[in-house]
Amino acid sequence: MAEITLVDGGATILDEASKKILNKIQASTYKAPQTGLLCHFPPSWVPYAQLIRIDKPLAILYLYFPCLFGTCMAASISDPIVPPQRLMSTNLVFILGCFLVRSAGCAWNDIIDQDIDRKVSRTRNRPLARRAISTAAALTFTVVQVVIGLGLIVLLLPFPCLYYSVPSTFLTALYPFAKRFTYYPQLILGCVFSWGVIIAFPALQIDLVASSDPKALRAALLLYLSCIAWTMSYDTIYSAQDIKDDLNAAVKSPVVKHRDNTRLVLWTATGTQIILLIATGFTIDATGVPFQGMCLCTAVLLGREITSVDLGDPKDCLWWFRNGCIYTGLVIGSGFVAEYIVRLKSSTGV
């Protein structure tokens, strides 16, 4: 039987299931940060810092790695080859851009998902879920970050990067809704996180659409798809943390869809990633030891991750999500950097 309950000063009709959820939320106690970066912020700033996960900067790497892969590959196949100073300065811009994109994306995700977050133990103390800030304030904060990000593109990158960023902006806005209509929201997340591969080319003044050389476009698409498959793999491991809450909240994910065959999903995504990575190498004539050795090391590393992770243990899933992704990104990145160095030495005769 439903009853009328006062929530935030207003009358809301709650059924028995909703009352249980509300009681559970109200029983949970939020404690202000006493250690770490957040404890140094003024109390009024803390919710906004938490909204953009400023205390969890590691995830910025997940967004940056495809930028690194893409810029090194674009620099390697450019004629003439892109100078190291230009490559490094472009990557510094991308690092700053990744911080802004990730911050705005987290805020937007929390705006859309706040009702779901209140039902999930890992997320119920997020700022919007615990009602520490209003939706309007969070939305304003998000818009400001998007405007700053667009300004960064206009000021520090070639102008074509602006219209190359439009699809990514649309996909970022779409992602929080994905878990409501598909069991594979990681594919949309992968499209967002991997977009750095695409925008890396116009950032180094290689227009993939207008270029007369189809090799650049083929290589960019192959690497982009490889990174999407990688995101599918590591974010499926991440989503395994919330399987019980996701089932209760009717949230869709590969783990929910394939509870008894999640490793098959991981093997499929990883196999696809490695095949596409090898194909990328052949497309750009990177058939030597540095690049192909990187592909082999990546396959071994991801294989160990899939066989070792305990998908029933949230802590173990989080450990592999963090460390497995970092190690894999560093290995793939080292392969692209090594290929660039080899070609740079060849072009300069050093």
Side-chain angles (χ1 to χ4, degrees):
M1 180 177 177
E3 73 176 44
I4 297 178
T5 305
L6 289 177
V7 179
D8 288 350
T12 302
I13 298 179
L14 299 175
D15 56 22
E16 290 300 323
S18 297
K19 283 195 296 178
K20 288 180 180 179
I21 293 170
L22 182 60
N23 290 337
K24 191 174 182 181
I25 294 169
Q26 291 171 335
S28 66
T29 56
Y30 168 75
K31 295 181 180 179
Q34 302 298 317
T35 59
L37 179 63
L38 290 176
C39 72
H40 300 291
F41 281 77
S44 61
W45 292 17
V46 170
Y48 293 95
Q50 292 173 323
L51 191 65
I52 63 173
R53 319 284 199 271
I54 202 168
D55 56 327
K56 300 174 182 178
L58 209 57
I60 297 171
L61 278 177
Y62 308 158
L63 198 58
Y64 170 65
F65 277 136
C67 301
L68 175 65
F69 309 159
T71 52
C72 288
M73 182 171 73
S76 297
I77 66 176
S78 176
D79 186 19
I81 194 167
V82 174
Q85 298 88 342
R86 174 78 186 281
L87 180 59
M88 287 188 288
S89 64
T90 301
N91 272 274
L92 288 175
V93 174
F94 272 122
I95 290 172
L96 179 56
C98 287
F99 171 78
L100 290 169
V101 169
R102 188 252 184 170
S103 298
C106 286
W108 174 246
N109 186 78
D110 284 8
I111 290 169
I112 303 303
D113 279 353
Q114 54 185 295
D115 291 334
I116 293 176
D117 286 345
R118 294 185 184 108
K119 302 174 185 177
V120 178
S121 57
R122 183 177 58 84
T123 60
R124 67 167 54 103
N125 278 325
R126 286 178 175 174
L128 283 164
R130 69 175 193 270
R131 298 181 173 88
I133 54 177
S134 69
T135 300
L139 185 58
T140 301
F141 187 48
T142 303
V143 170
V144 169
Q145 292 175 87
V146 172
V147 171
I148 293 174
L150 291 174
L152 181 72
I153 293 175
V154 171
L155 293 174
L156 300 179
L157 293 175
F159 185 76
C161 291
L162 185 61
Y163 56 79
Y164 270 92
S165 68
V166 172
S168 176
T169 304
F170 170 76
L171 290 168
T172 301
L174 176 65
Y175 169 67
F177 299 99
K179 63 177 71 72
R180 292 163 171 81
F181 63 81
T182 176
Y183 283 101
Y184 307 99
Q186 283 78 10
L187 290 176
I188 297 177
L189 181 67
C191 290
V192 174
F193 270 44
S194 306
W195 198 255
V197 170
I198 302 299
I199 205 168
F201 283 79
L204 293 174
Q205 297 182 323
I206 301 175
D207 194 322
L208 292 172
V209 177
S211 176
S212 58
D213 182 7
K215 181 171 70 173
L217 179 59
R218 285 200 304 269
L221 289 176
L222 286 168
L223 181 56
Y224 178 60
L225 293 172
S226 178
C227 288
I228 291 174
W230 181 35
T231 308
M232 180 73 185
S233 176
Y234 70 67
D235 202 66
T236 295
I237 292 174
Y238 183 75
S239 68
Q241 298 177 92
D242 301 325
I243 178 64
K244 293 180 181 179
D245 288 324
D246 284 352
L247 288 169
N248 293 331
V251 172
K252 294 179 171 65
S253 76
V255 185
V256 171
K257 178 69 173 178
H258 305 281
R259 290 192 291 278
D260 299 324
N261 296 291
T262 303
R263 286 188 204 280
L264 179 60
V265 175
L266 298 176
W267 282 118
T268 302
T270 296
T272 302
Q273 175 192 350
I274 299 302
I275 291 171
L276 290 168
L277 196 57
I278 293 171
T280 301
F282 279 100
T283 300
I284 62 172
D285 301 318
T287 56
V289 173
F291 193 91
Q292 296 305 320
M294 171 271 287
C295 293
L296 177 61
C297 290
T298 300
V300 171
L301 184 60
L302 289 173
R304 184 174 186 276
E305 178 182 294
I306 295 171
T307 55
S308 299
V309 63
D310 183 352
L311 295 170
D313 183 350
K315 290 184 179 179
D316 199 51
C317 290
L318 182 60
W319 191 93
W320 281 103
F321 167 73
R322 287 175 173 170
N323 295 281
C325 186
I326 292 172
Y327 296 148
T328 303
L330 291 175
V331 168
I332 298 174
S334 67
F336 279 102
V337 171
E339 184 66 26
Y340 169 75
I341 292 174
V342 168
R343 296 191 184 203
L344 178 66
K345 288 183 176 180
S346 176
S347 67
T348 57
V350 177

